[in-house]
Amino acid sequence: MESQLPAEFIVNINHERCRKCKRCVINCSFSAIEFKDKVTANNRQCVACHRCATFCPENAITIIHNPLDYKDGYNWSPEIRKNILKQAESGGIILTGMGNPRPYPIYWDHMLIDACQVTNPSIDPLREPMELRTYLGAKPEALEFEGDIDNISLKTELAPQVKLDIPIVFAAMSYGAISLNAHKALAMAAKRMGTLMNTGEGGLHEDLAGYTDRIIVQVASGRFGVTSKYLNNSALVEIKIGQGAKPGIGGHLPGEKVGEDISKTRMIPVGTDALSPAPHHDIYSIEDLSQLIYAIKETTDYKKPVSVKIAAVHNVAAIASGIVRAGADIVMIDGFRGGTGAAPMVIRDHVGIPIELALAAVDDRLRQEGIRNRASILVGGSIRQSADVVKAIALGADACVIGTASLIAMGCRVCQKCYTGNCAWGIATQKPELVRRLNPEVGADRLCNLLTAWGHEIQEVLGSLGINAIESLRGSRERLRGVGLSQETLDILGIKHAGIGQ
Amino acid sequence: MQEYTLFLGCIIPARFPFMEKSTRLVLSQLGCILHDLEGATCCPTKSIVKPIGDLAWYVTAARNLALAQKTGHNLLVPCNGCYSTLKSVEVEMRVNPGIRDEVNAILASAGLEYTGTVEVKHLVEVLHDEIGLPKIKQHLIKSFDGMRIAPHYGCHMLRPSSSITFDDPNKPKKFDALIEALGAKSIDYETKMLCCGGNLNTADEPEEATALARIKLMEVTKKADAIALTCPSCFMQYDSRQYMMQKTGEKLNVPVLFYPELLGLAMGLSAQELGMDMHRIDLAEFLSKWDSKYKYLKTLKEVFDLSAIRKCYECAACVNDCPVVKVNPDFNPNEIIGRLLSGELEAVTGSHNIWQCVDCYTCYELCPQKMGMNKIFDKLKHMAIEKGMGPKGFAASIEMFRKDGRLGEPTSMRKKLKLAEPPKSGGEELKKLLDHINNKGEENEI
Ligand code: SF4
Ligand code: SF4
Ligand code: SF4
Ligand code: SF4
Ligand code: SF4
């Protein structure tokens, strides 16, 4: 059937500047540029990944939105109309990548942070020590000590803890969804920065063996690559129940992407589709979940904290409470803006709830039930900047996870074409000629720079708040104020409206 | 398991039974069950039967459809002409109840009725949409990698789009995709969508029919190794008529392949099994070219990352900036790649050019795939050394390195400059390690 869809972008080539070096042609992994006597664009193929424009030595390329105007319609927006055309031509589910791009309210941008003035001195982070480290894992109800004041030691036995030098962890992204070079960059950066990366559900490639104390290994419904060695070669183990970008549905890595290396890592035959079922077929209740948690604890000799990751959904607080009571040491909540390598657009854009509200609800519920100490809370799902981290911690999180932001740091242009396997930046692809484009060393440097920069910014904010440790901020909702939020939202977030004092 | 009723039409059984043979062979390997259509007649051919009268045309086609309906399976049609006719009537009978009732009233006297429960599918449609490229690729045994094939769709595979909608009528893609699934390059060429001209024969215009066929053949002979198609009428134009042209001295040498033959070859079937010796245009040259290409690329793949090298051949990003090109315009890295791909590995390894790369890594830095020519030259130089080739100075340096582990001895100049004794050479120890590699016969490349 002939496609009626207009091109989304136009590739403009300034032929006066172009010196016909063809660099753009090979850089474009979406076949949108050809060379026929001169550089010629095939606009319909362009996804605005900016690879060509970045590497053109003459700056001869600009990518613009196709200025084709649509008859106005707030309700029948061009996007909605284009999606209908797509489906009328394909008869299929619309697949997409990255996080929810729709204009739902972003609550982070409606919360403002306090600062000290006059009565309570602020601290200068350049002169005073400022702690960003925190520990993940269950904390005891109370501490008991032995010995006397000169020779004191802890009597209470602590549950296993994982130390983070900065309260920002790299989100779960599997080898398969992203390239091995991207995985290496994340692992190297996690090690250098004293934080963690997460294998996602794809198993652990042998090249990452040297980083195991900095790696969260995931056990997902497909159980790819899960062995007792895998579980023990880790900083902590995460059971993945759900993902913010696609709550309630499983995963699918198409067979074409399952080459030799991925097949070994996932322990499935070359060329077979890697299907993660929607549910874990052995988990239908909190009791079942508890069994898996303890099976993992047994396997790892009670030396690793066990985390359970869920998507933020309507009943998230009650679910989180069940998870903590089932024995999890960490609850990871992934908001509805979380990224993905591939998801049906209808799920990504319409299912789940915002992380800000989910976090506030979970933290509240666990406090009310007196079990907040039994688990750390990790949150993710579009943490975009250091301010989001500060606000999340003030709302009650122990630390944040970043996925999309870490990919952007490595070069991702959020073109949302991860599901095609053609990522021009060598991130969401398994094609060797594209994977080579991402140098793990450079990727790691860029990731470290991002975390270092955010770390400094968080220290600046802590200083202005007059506190010298990130742990002192956790759950201090009094230090946040809402702007432009309804009373009900403010109640859920547990914060006052701006203008209200103590 | 997919099941179809095979509609062969008139030309295939009458003139090209090998087409039936290859169709049956490959479809059964792909797990399809084919049923025969007892009592079938001409589809009927539009250009001959329609002028007799509309109703005769409809009734003949609808009778075939009604018979197919009795088998309970969709019709699979490997002939463009039959497909276009049957599909048009199928659609007409579905969207136009007036015609349906009139035709069915006549069919009733033979105890037949077509209610639209089975559909007409083109062979390309079935292979691409129902069997699918991944499944076809799983059956590949000997790829056509490196071969250039010109796809000929043929008008009636795609038109009229009032009833045929499985691909774009003017810019189709699916047949190209089927060819590329076999590893070949499906070339884009100017006369790609040009009609074969077969119907001009019916108008008693064999000269014009030949002229049309010639236009395409002339282009393809320059640009591709063969033409691939799926229609016996088109085949007649390009194979039989080309043969006649040859007899009058016009040697175009374009092998013409029925797609199931190409597929069968790639699946490991022999040309004899497929009945391909019945073509008029000789295929021997094509087949031996394919065979040697296959063998050559296999060796090349063992040494080089073929997909990367191919990208290089299309690219030139590093060529202009290579410092050697500035002083020696004959040093053309791209041309070397072209020669490598076209089968000249040996000649390239022996050529002096490969030693001119000064390992400056300029190309690596500019390379969109972060490979760089220098990597290719490294491999070529290694291969040359293994064969005892290479510039003279080079051999002397290697000899020196093997002996002392250094490329130069400290001289008395040092004393003049009051420099202390140089650190001792570790040449002995290094020699042992290198001997270790040699003795163990370890692969000297990582
Ligand atoms: S897809 Fe990317 S590289 Fe290709 S033309 Fe568009 S912006 Fe350029
Ligand atoms: S990269 Fe820029 S200068 Fe080079 S061919 Fe493309 S448009 Fe022209
Ligand atoms: S990872 Fe690659 S494909 Fe995915 S959005 Fe980023 S640039 Fe695009
Ligand atoms: S080495 Fe890289 S830059 Fe040079 S021709 Fe090959 S692909 Fe292009
Ligand atoms: S490394 Fe060799 S081929 Fe590449 S730019 Fe330098 S001299 Fe030219």
Side-chain angles (χ1 to χ4, degrees), chain B residues 98-143:
Chain B
I99 293 185
R100 179 179 61 214
D101 294 346
E102 198 178 341
V103 171
N104 273 335
I106 298 173
L107 288 180
S109 56
L112 290 169
E113 185 188 16
Y114 178 64
T115 59
T117 52
V118 297
E119 288 178 44
V120 180
K121 306 262 176 184
H122 193 279
L123 176 63
V124 167
E125 183 180 10
V126 165
L127 287 168
H128 187 282
D129 295 352
E130 300 189 359
I131 293 170
L133 304 180
K135 184 151 185 194
I136 291 176
K137 286 184 192 163
Q138 277 168 18
H139 283 80
L140 271 196
I141 285 180
K142 191 172 163 188
S143 135

Side-chain angles (χ1 to χ4, degrees), chain A residues 11 27-30 32-33 45-53 63:
Chain A
V11 186
N27 264 304
C28 179
S29 52
F30 293 90
I33 310 188
Q45 305 284 97
C46 177
V47 304
C49 73
H50 290 186
R51 183 84 194 177
C52 57
I63 310 290

Side-chain angles (χ1 to χ4, degrees), chain A residues 31-72:
Chain A
S31 316
I33 310 188
E34 280 175 288
F35 193 85
K36 297 178 178 165
D37 307 324
K38 60 179 188 190
V39 174
T40 330
N42 182 358
N43 292 326
R44 280 195 184 181
Q45 305 284 97
C46 177
V47 304
C49 73
H50 290 186
R51 183 84 194 177
C52 57
T54 311
F55 284 87
C56 171
E58 304 295 340
N59 289 320
I61 305 179
T62 41
I63 310 290
I64 55 167
H65 262 288
N66 186 346
L68 186 68
D69 267 331
Y70 287 74
K71 183 88 177 170
D72 291 336

Side-chain angles (χ1 to χ4, degrees), chain A residues 26, chain B residues 311-312 315-318 334 363 366-369 371-373:
Chain A
I26 300 292
Chain B
K311 286 235 148 76
C312 275
C315 181
C318 66
N334 244 38
C363 53
L366 296 176
C367 175
Q369 36 175 0
M371 186 179 66
M373 292 285 182

Side-chain angles (χ1 to χ4, degrees), chain B residues 131-365:
Chain B
I131 293 170
L133 304 180
K135 184 151 185 194
I136 291 176
K137 286 184 192 163
Q138 277 168 18
H139 283 80
L140 271 196
I141 285 180
K142 191 172 163 188
S143 135
F144 276 95
D145 196 359
M147 298 298 278
R148 298 168 61 81
I149 307 283
H152 169 77
Y153 280 80
C155 308
H156 296 123
M157 184 201 295
L158 307 160
R159 307 186 201 123
S161 63
S162 53
S163 42
I164 299 173
T165 52
F166 83 88
D167 207 346
D168 189 301
N170 297 313
K171 282 175 274 164
K173 293 199 273 281
K174 292 186 177 171
F175 191 44
D176 290 80
L178 283 173
I179 292 170
E180 302 231 317
L182 308 183
K185 168 95 189 130
S186 176
I187 68 153
D188 205 8
Y189 60 110
E190 262 164 54
T191 57
K192 180 170 169 183
M193 296 312 294
L194 188 69
C195 173
C196 71
N199 273 355
L200 281 168
N201 292 310
T202 344
D204 286 338
E205 293 288 359
E207 289 307 315
E208 287 180 15
T210 310
L212 256 187
R214 181 184 292 116
I215 297 179
K216 184 179 287 244
L217 288 169
M218 299 257 283
E219 190 185 358
V220 172
T221 190
K222 278 185 246 140
K223 296 186 175 167
D225 297 310
I227 208 167
L229 44 71
T230 61
C231 170
S233 307
C234 303
F235 183 85
M236 207 165 0
Q237 278 293 93
Y238 295 125
D239 190 71
S240 320
R241 192 161 293 276
Q242 193 191 154
Y243 180 68
M244 313 280 268
M245 289 157 72
Q246 247 174 27
K247 281 192 140 175
T248 58
E250 223 179 326
K251 296 235 183 317
L252 291 166
N253 286 329
V254 180
V256 185
L257 297 159
F258 183 51
Y259 182 78
E261 296 174 336
L262 203 62
L263 178 55
L265 291 172
M267 282 173 163
L269 300 169
S270 72
Q272 283 80 356
E273 272 175 280
L274 293 160
M276 291 171 72
D277 38 4
M278 295 179 184
H279 286 218
R280 306 297 285 275
I281 298 296
D282 188 36
L283 298 173
E285 199 182 317
F286 172 82
L287 292 173
S288 77
K289 178 170 180 189
W290 170 44
D291 195 57
S292 54
K293 192 125 222 169
Y294 177 77
K295 288 186 184 131
Y296 176 73
L297 289 180
K298 220 170 137 198
T299 23
L300 207 60
K301 260 182 223 161
E302 281 160 17
V303 192
F304 296 100
D305 175 349
L306 208 53
S307 68
I309 296 194
R310 287 211 165 106
K311 286 235 148 76
C312 275
Y313 192 44
E314 292 167 29
C315 181
C318 66
V319 175
N320 292 331
D321 294 271
C322 170
V324 181
V325 175
K326 297 201 186 338
V327 290
N328 177 4
D330 287 343
F331 182 67
N332 184 339
N334 244 38
E335 189 210 322
I336 294 174
I337 301 294
R339 288 174 58 198
L340 262 188
L341 285 171
S342 68
E344 297 185 39
L345 177 60
E346 215 151 299
V348 170
T349 317
S351 82
H352 179 64
N353 270 343
I354 61 172
W355 298 95
Q356 283 179 296
C357 164
V358 296
D359 256 327
C360 70
Y361 285 100
T362 305
C363 53
Y364 170 81
E365 296 304 337

